[in-house]
Amino acid sequence: MKLKTLGVVVVAAAGLTLTSSGGAVAVDNEALTADLDTILADPALNGADVGLVVRDANTGDVVYTRTSARRQQIASNMKLLTTTAALDLLGPDFKWKTELLSSGTRNGATLQGDLVLRGTGDPTMSRSRYAALATTLKNSGVTKISGSLVLDGTAFDAQPYGSGWAWDDEPFSYSAETSALTLSPDAKFSAGTVLVRVKPGAAAGAPVIATSEPENDVVHVVSTATTGSGGVSVERDHGSNVIRVSGSTNVETVALATVKDPTALVSSVFRNALRDNGIEFTGDVRRAAAPAGAAVLASDQSQTLAQLLTPLMKDSNNMLAEVLVKSAGKSFTNGVNQLSTKWSGLGVDPNGVEVFDGSGMSRLDQFSPDALASILIKAKTKPWFSTWQATLPVAGVDGTLVNRMKNTPAAGNVKAKTGSLSGVSALSGYVRTAAGRDLVFSLVQNNVLLFNSPKSIEDRVAVRLASDGGTVAAQPQVQSVPQQRKVPAQERTDVPAKERFDVECSWIGTC
């Protein structure tokens, strides 16, 4: 990717006094500044790189800042930029189409010529919707195709992953390939995956029955799992479509696994749909662009971009975010460049940040808390703001914040985007204080050790902001969860899923 000249994002405000700790004190907020300084002095953050900024949501005045201009990895907080820029560039009513086309001719019930299945990246396409396209073709009177089935995924380039993604995340549903022809097997639109269903055998010790859904001839499930207690593991081999199931279970279990080449999966599923509709297909399968002037025989249209933002933001869906990037410009590089034309209108200097994807999974992304706070403030001036704000997770209520900050002044109040990677945690959003003041905040933590809990730091900051001006204790405590190990000499152990901070809870089903 072409490297941009790095600049510095600067937020200026009058009437501020820098403290020795790096905080900025508003005239009447010394108590808040002291409490935030205390929270960020937690020993768990020794050696970590932490930036925090709090601003008035209406005036933009800085209430507190601590190393907030420094660029860091921000994980899924990148989705704040991707979604707002996409709303400006593509528009809230943008939709994706999936079509059947042909330049062939009809001879009775026979389509003489190629049948083209063309996708534009709709991440919500399912087996049933591909089947509906085949049904529409059948209802038009076609029962035989004498040409090839042509798969047209040219709306996107062939690069499946963003630059700087970790190769060992490849098997997991939050790190699937981005493709113009894809499929989601679940209601959360986990594009580029299949559902692996594991059923126990008839007796203890018997082999389990493991299958993939939807039915296809691309994925191969290899199981060594047996019937019993202990739990099962489902993981795809690197670079292949072999999915291995191991361990043991005595209850039916389902898990998502990514697919190598989602277009191949779509091809298999659609060929099954043709067969189920009694349409004889005699040609071969190939990949190419639809011929110019080909007639549309059947069409499917997605929900709007504005509607898609709810699962994208609430569940922190990476694949939906990457579809926005490629829809903006076909490739990750050009898509980011196209979206960047809208960044200045969101208070972001394109020369002051580095962005390589839409989800924040890239370790090459560099963004500051100041820039995130600017997005939150500028978004309030947009015609789509109320729709977009409603897609943010709400503390103690839904999304990736459903289990956080319950029974605190932040519950039902804080609307914010979470961010999680190994060593990285972030929370940025909106909060109304007990005194009725609307604030935006962005807290980004890098180089956080695995056996500490950065989410508790975020929760303490958010609760303190929500409490400001009220009678709640100045430094509300949120329980910290120790993780993995306490000293380097100890052997590393698996972290219980519900205690992990290196992934979004929605990615592993613990929300």
Side-chain angles (χ1 to χ4, degrees):
M1 172 174 285
K2 181 181 178 181
L3 296 178
K4 299 183 289 292
T5 302
L6 295 179
V8 178
V9 179
V10 179
V11 177
L16 300 180
T17 303
L18 292 179
T19 69
S20 60
S21 62
V25 185
V27 173
D28 58 350
N29 241 333
E30 289 86 354
L32 176 62
T33 296
D35 288 342
L36 294 178
D37 280 348
T38 298
I39 294 171
L40 298 185
D42 191 304
L45 296 179
N46 287 345
D49 189 0
V50 181
L52 170 62
V53 64
V54 182
R55 296 176 64 184
D56 187 289
N58 297 312
T59 67
D61 291 343
V62 176
V63 175
Y64 179 94
T65 178
R66 180 171 178 146
T67 58
S68 58
R70 181 180 298 171
R71 290 180 294 272
Q72 300 172 279
Q73 295 177 46
I74 60 171
S76 286
N77 271 209
M78 185 61 70
K79 295 181 177 78
L80 294 170
L81 177 68
T82 302
T83 55
T84 52
L87 283 166
D88 270 353
L89 182 71
L90 303 175
D93 297 326
F94 182 87
K95 294 181 179 181
W96 292 263
K97 285 184 178 180
T98 305
E99 299 173 313
L100 291 180
L101 308 97
S102 181
S103 56
T105 59
R106 283 283 295 274
N107 182 6
T110 300
L111 175 63
Q112 294 181 321
D114 297 337
L115 177 67
V116 181
L117 176 62
R118 179 167 67 188
T120 60
D122 184 355
T124 70
M125 282 297 289
S126 62
R127 182 204 61 78
S128 62
R129 287 169 63 191
Y130 282 114
L133 289 173
T135 299
T136 299
L137 185 64
K138 179 191 71 173
N139 291 342
S140 72
V142 174
T143 60
K144 184 176 181 179
I145 301 168
S146 63
S148 299
L149 174 61
V150 178
L151 306 171
D152 183 355
T154 58
F156 293 171
D157 74 349
Q159 184 178 344
Y161 304 110
S163 297
W165 284 28
W167 71 267
D168 51 342
D169 281 332
E170 178 188 311
F172 307 116
S173 61
Y174 55 83
S175 187
E177 296 186 5
T178 299
S179 172
L181 277 169
T182 193
L183 180 148
S184 296
D186 64 355
K188 290 188 174 182
F189 307 134
S190 302
T193 70
V194 292
L195 187 71
V196 178
R197 189 176 301 276
V198 182
K199 296 181 179 180
V208 302
I209 301 170
T211 56
S212 66
E213 301 172 9
E215 179 185 351
N216 68 89
D217 59 10
V218 172
V219 169
H220 304 284
V221 179
V222 177
S223 175
T224 59
T226 58
T227 303
S229 59
V232 292
S233 171
V234 176
E235 189 165 322
R236 178 169 66 88
D237 285 354
H238 176 62
S240 80
N241 272 317
V242 174
I243 298 176
R244 300 191 184 276
V245 181
S246 59
S248 59
T249 184
N250 50 27
V251 296
E252 184 172 319
T253 303
V254 294
L256 292 170
T258 57
V259 176
K260 180 66 179 175
D261 188 10
T263 299
L265 174 67
V266 169
S267 173
S268 178
V269 168
F270 185 68
R271 284 184 281 115
N272 288 343
L274 292 175
R275 177 201 65 201
D276 294 343
N277 276 276
I279 299 175
E280 182 183 358
F281 170 65
T282 60
D284 60 359
V285 179
R286 58 189 176 87
R287 303 187 188 194
V296 177
L297 307 181
S299 181
D300 182 283
Q301 194 165 246
S302 74
Q303 59 186 273
T304 65
L305 168 57
Q307 293 169 318
L308 192 68
L309 291 185
T310 295
L312 193 165
M313 298 293 271
K314 297 284 189 186
D315 297 326
S316 201
N317 189 313
N318 292 331
M319 308 343 296
L320 300 187
E322 302 310 344
V323 163
L324 296 187
V325 173
K326 287 205 171 186
S327 295
K330 190 172 183 174
S331 67
F332 286 108
T333 300
N334 191 50
V336 169
N337 286 340
Q338 293 300 315
L339 291 171
S340 72
T341 63
K342 300 298 181 180
W343 291 354
S344 61
L346 295 165
V348 176
D349 177 5
N351 292 315
V353 298
E354 285 284 14
V355 177
F356 287 80
D357 64 1
S359 65
M361 285 283 286
S362 175
R363 292 288 184 171
L364 301 176
D365 292 336
Q366 293 292 319
F367 218 77
S368 69
D370 278 348
L372 289 168
S374 292
I375 295 169
L376 294 168
I377 290 173
K378 290 291 186 179
K380 289 174 61 66
T381 68
K382 302 292 184 175
W384 40 254
F385 173 68
S386 60
T387 298
W388 176 77
Q389 189 190 40
T391 70
L392 295 173
V394 181
V397 175
D398 62 19
T400 53
L401 288 178
V402 66
N403 295 319
R404 293 173 59 179
M405 294 175 267
K406 288 186 174 182
N407 303 314
T408 74
N413 176 358
V414 169
K415 301 174 179 66
K417 184 70 197 73
T418 53
S420 309
L421 286 173
S422 297
V424 179
S425 190
L427 186 70
S428 302
Y430 302 90
V431 59
R432 175 166 292 175
T433 70
R437 187 182 189 185
D438 290 324
L439 302 174
V440 300
F441 68 95
S442 178
L443 172 58
V444 179
Q445 304 172 74
N446 278 204
N447 304 313
V448 182
L449 297 177
L450 285 173
F451 53 90
N452 291 320
S453 182
K455 303 301 184 189
S456 68
I457 301 294
E458 295 162 2
D459 291 355
R460 289 170 62 190
V461 167
V463 171
R464 177 61 184 88
L465 294 175
S467 308
D468 200 45
T471 58
V472 179
Q475 192 179 338
Q477 297 295 313
V478 179
Q479 183 177 3
S480 176
V481 181
Q483 299 198 8
Q484 197 172 43
R485 60 190 176 97
K486 292 186 176 181
V487 293
Q490 291 181 348
E491 183 179 353
R492 292 180 182 268
T493 58
D494 290 337
V495 178
K498 66 179 182 180
E499 297 178 8
R500 292 180 62 182
F501 78 84
D502 59 322
V503 289
E504 300 282 72
C505 61
S506 55
W507 299 350
I508 56 175
T510 58
C511 292

